Amino acid sequence: EILFRQPETSYLGECPICCLPLSSDSEKSTMLGCCSRLICDGCDFANKLREFEENLEHTCPFCRVPTPKSQAEAYLNSNRKRRAKANDPVALREMSKTHYHKGDYKGALEYLMKAAELGDVGSHYLISDLYREGKGVEKDEKKELYHTEEAAIGGHPEARFFLAFYEARNERFDRAVKHWIIAANLGCGDSIQQLKKGYKLGVVSKEDFAAALRAHQ
């Protein structure tokens, strides 16, 4: 079953500068508004340090576009709008967040649906949140699960973690354990904790727990 295939990497992929896998911890990466690239904080810091030491103007560490010192937020928003019009799925997802924070959930959904159609895994997960919370749409568990599964198949660890709890709540523990193992392999620390609890309760084998620990490290 495709749902239980282990993705090779997280949906975030690699940092386009150092080519190391991006962390699932959002606080360890930086979104570049000019080119819609996600880079690791290490590369972001290295670029800022280089600019400081060489007294250079601030530019994007990936595309090298200069960032204006004033009206930075307006600059980022205009770039996102431009890239969204060009059907950049990441820019579409970022634009959806702007609408979401303003309380325009229907507007957020429109951007997310378009990004999801273009294959953006993160958008599928955010759509599932809207269907679960009933924001901009009526609550719909079937559609919520569909988009959560699409995100999980694409390598989204949080989506996989949610599916595990859904299965456990319905007492399908064998499926829940499979989801936690896959999520742990993608770097989800919370899944390791759940597998640890399952091991103590006897629903997770020693071999599966050991394998998940090795993959997570």
Side-chain angles (χ1 to χ4, degrees), residues 141-150 162-163 166:
E141 185 179 44
K142 186 176 180 180
K143 290 182 179 179
E144 173 199 345
L145 285 174
Y146 167 77
H147 287 287
T148 305
E149 289 180 351
E150 287 295 304
F162 175 83
L163 287 176
Y166 174 81

Side-chain angles (χ1 to χ4, degrees), residues 25 45 51 101 122 133 148 151 166 174 207:
D25 184 349
F45 175 76
E51 291 172 343
H101 292 309
E133 298 170 2
T148 305
Y166 174 81
D174 57 330
E207 292 76 15

Side-chain angles (χ1 to χ4, degrees), residues 50-71:
R50 179 185 62 86
E51 291 172 343
F52 174 76
E53 291 177 341
E54 300 178 19
N55 195 29
L56 301 171
E57 68 172 336
H58 180 57
T59 60
C60 169
F62 182 77
C63 68
R64 299 302 182 191
V65 170
T67 303
K69 295 180 180 178
S70 61
Q71 297 181 328

Side-chain angles (χ1 to χ4, degrees), residues 109-120:
L109 181 62
E110 288 179 11
Y111 278 106
L112 289 172
M113 291 298 287
K114 191 170 184 178
E117 289 173 2
L118 293 169
D120 187 63

Side-chain angles (χ1 to χ4, degrees), residues 70-84:
S70 61
Q71 297 181 328
E73 189 63 31
Y75 166 78
L76 290 177
N77 285 334
S78 66
N79 268 287
R80 284 172 182 158
K81 288 178 182 178
R82 177 174 55 82
R83 294 192 66 83

